[in-house]
Amino acid sequence: MSTLSAPHDVRQHILDTARPILGRKGFSAVGLNEILGAAGVPKGSFYHYFASKEAFGEALLEQYFTTGLARIDAILSDSGGTAADRLMRYWQGWRDAQTGSDACGQCLAVKLGAEVCDLSEGMRAILADGTRRIVARLERGVTAGGDDGSLPRVDDPGHVAMVLYQLWLGATLLAKFTRDHRPFDEAMATTRTLLALPP
Amino acid sequence: MSTLSAPHDVRQHILDTARPILGRKGFSAVGLNEILGAAGVPKGSFYHYFASKEAFGEALLEQYFTTGLARIDAILSDSGGTAADRLMRYWQGWRDAQTGSDACGQCLAVKLGAEVCDLSEGMRAILADGTRRIVARLERGVTAGGDDGSLPRVDDPGHVAMVLYQLWLGATLLAKFTRDHRPFDEAMATTRTLLALPP
DNA sequence: AACCGATTAGACCAGTCGTCTAGAAGAAAA
DNA sequence: TTTTCTTCTAGACGACTGGTCTAATCGGTT
């Protein structure tokens, strides 16, 4: 528990501490005490920064998507290589993050999504909106590949983007069951197929 | 709440009552009280039939996969039409079950999988084994399509089967977020593409 | 009537979320 | 420097639920 200066550091510190815990144990199975104990923050402070556990969950998911979208933007827009390279770099990054043994890289959409989307309308809305925005980014990536010639033009880039995202969500879930990387390898191969890239 | 005769009817009755409840609210968020209250079974009886809540969850998942696999077998083996028809009938059945507003048709692998697989090694093993068996059935379906000419032969039917399953898992998760059927439509279209069937 | 396994009632306590009162910390004003 | 005022912290507390287990009851057979 390092020293904290600005007021919002505490709020952020709670979120940062909670993320790996929720990523490992889910939402309902974790109590506020566990989170606050790990963060070294008293319970009284929690309700100063968050209206409820649900509001806290919403903030956590919101931040998860915010940072995730920034990461996508960083990969898809400003790096070198063709648009196809950038797109594939995104999937490789996904695989690497999930394959790592640390629970820090957990995909919260997969880990928490199914659990909380029927529990809280607010969290469901954030999940729906966050995933929609991710797919929109991917769609732009596919379109960019058609523009610069690194990918063949497709009729409906939005369709391709959504299907690829579904495929990787499913791969992530299956990999959690089997605890191996094969689902990601299969997803990667099919991603290349659907994008008409050489294996 | 009907009259129960044989002893194991009570155990089964608890499982049957719990399934839609867990399908809606998840595992950790549901207490034994709620399940047993709904089933009309006293709390004391629970530990006569199950060693723990975790053992109960394992039994629930086991039964879920048992009935699910039987349903696949019924669709893929004994009905009429080509092998391709039978395979597509399976996906249509998946979509219909999830699209229906009743929580009864919930896919427990998606709803509970991510939540419980890090919570209980036993449940994780059942999820890994159950999904592996489903993919094995699908693989046989793809192979059968190559045999009877209704599908083109593929190099690795196991790969196609696993990827299709991942795609539909992801579609189910995404549909839970958006609460519409579009993810399933996209999955269906891509399924036809990957199987080289006409749209 | 005596026995015995199958079944249940309810106690048990650790834990849940959320509330509330007090006071500490920190900055701004006098 | 002292006062004032808001922001934040402290953690006990309440009302309740969690899963678990022991002790008693039930129901049928000898």
Side-chain angles (χ1 to χ4, degrees):
Chain A
M1 286 11 80
S2 52
T3 56
L4 307 168
S5 49
H8 276 273
D9 281 355
V10 174
R11 186 187 144 101
Q12 190 58 49
H13 178 60
I14 296 173
L15 289 170
D16 291 342
T17 309
R19 188 171 150 170
I21 298 176
L22 295 192
R24 198 160 7 91
K25 313 222 274 179
F27 186 76
S28 298
V30 176
L32 262 16
N33 284 333
E34 182 175 355
I35 296 170
L36 297 172
V41 170
K43 199 175 210 169
S45 297
F46 180 85
Y47 284 91
H48 176 71
Y49 295 106
F50 303 101
S52 63
K53 191 188 181 189
E54 181 182 344
F56 160 73
E58 293 175 13
L60 191 89
L61 286 178
E62 233 152 36
Q63 177 165 293
Y64 168 70
F65 281 114
T66 301
T67 62
L69 286 166
R71 210 175 53 83
I72 300 184
D73 286 337
I75 295 176
L76 290 191
S77 59
D78 69 2
S79 7
T82 64
D85 291 337
R86 294 195 288 269
L87 204 49
M88 292 312 293
R89 217 175 295 148
Y90 172 69
W91 303 118
Q92 279 152 16
W94 183 323
R95 176 175 60 180
D96 295 345
Q98 301 301 315
T99 303
S101 55
D102 55 343
C104 191
Q106 293 275 162
C107 172
L108 291 191
V110 169
K111 176 67 196 185
L112 301 180
E115 179 187 358
V116 305
C117 74
D118 297 315
L119 212 67
S120 151
E121 172 59 23
M123 291 201 240
R124 201 219 94 234
I126 291 167
L127 287 162
D129 195 57
T131 51
R132 187 185 53 74
R133 284 151 102 135
I134 290 175
V135 172
R137 301 295 203 285
L138 296 174
E139 176 179 351
R140 278 195 273 164
V142 172
T143 304
D147 291 345
D148 78 355
S150 59
L151 294 176
R153 285 205 175 279
V154 291
D155 289 343
D156 188 350
H159 163 76
V160 175
M162 184 180 255
V163 152
L164 286 177
Y165 188 60
Q166 288 174 11
L167 176 66
W168 281 83
L169 285 177
T172 305
L173 184 59
L174 214 53
K176 285 183 74 65
F177 300 165
T178 61
R179 290 206 200 283
D180 66 22
H181 53 85
R182 202 186 142 203
F184 294 119
D185 297 337
E186 307 280 17
M188 187 65 87
T190 298
T191 298
R192 301 194 79 91
T193 302
L194 289 172
L195 292 174
L197 288 171
Chain B
M1 250 19 116
S2 54
T3 56
L4 306 168
S5 50
H8 274 273
D9 281 356
V10 174
R11 186 187 145 100
Q12 190 58 48
H13 178 62
I14 296 173
L15 289 169
D16 292 341
T17 308
R19 189 171 150 168
I21 297 176
L22 294 192
R24 198 158 9 90
K25 312 223 272 179
F27 186 75
S28 297
V30 175
L32 265 15
N33 283 332
E34 181 174 356
I35 296 170
L36 296 170
V41 171
K43 196 172 187 176
S45 298
F46 181 83
Y47 283 87
H48 177 71
Y49 296 105
F50 303 100
S52 63
K53 192 190 182 189
E54 180 182 344
F56 160 74
E58 293 175 12
L60 191 89
L61 285 178
E62 234 153 35
Q63 178 165 294
Y64 168 70
F65 281 114
T66 302
T67 61
L69 286 166
R71 209 174 54 83
I72 300 184
D73 287 337
I75 295 176
L76 290 191
S77 59
D78 68 4
S79 9
T82 66
D85 291 338
R86 295 195 287 269
L87 204 49
M88 292 312 294
R89 217 175 295 148
Y90 172 68
W91 302 119
Q92 278 151 18
W94 184 323
R95 176 175 60 179
D96 295 345
Q98 301 302 315
T99 303
S101 55
D102 55 343
C104 191
Q106 293 275 162
C107 174
L108 291 191
V110 169
K111 176 67 197 184
L112 301 180
E115 180 186 358
V116 304
C117 75
D118 297 315
L119 213 68
S120 151
E121 173 58 23
M123 291 199 240
R124 200 220 94 234
I126 291 167
L127 286 162
D129 195 56
T131 51
R132 187 185 53 75
R133 284 151 105 135
I134 290 175
V135 172
R137 301 294 204 284
L138 297 174
E139 176 180 353
R140 278 195 272 164
V142 172
T143 305
D147 291 346
D148 79 354
S150 59
L151 294 175
R153 284 206 176 278
V154 291
D155 288 343
D156 188 350
H159 163 74
V160 175
M162 184 180 256
V163 153
L164 287 176
Y165 188 60
Q166 288 174 11
L167 176 66
W168 281 82
L169 286 177
T172 305
L173 184 60
L174 215 54
K176 286 183 73 66
F177 300 165
T178 60
R179 291 206 200 282
D180 66 22
H181 53 85
R182 201 185 144 205
F184 294 119
D185 297 337
E186 307 279 17
M188 186 66 86
T190 299
T191 299
R192 301 193 79 92
T193 302
L194 289 172
L195 292 173
L197 287 171

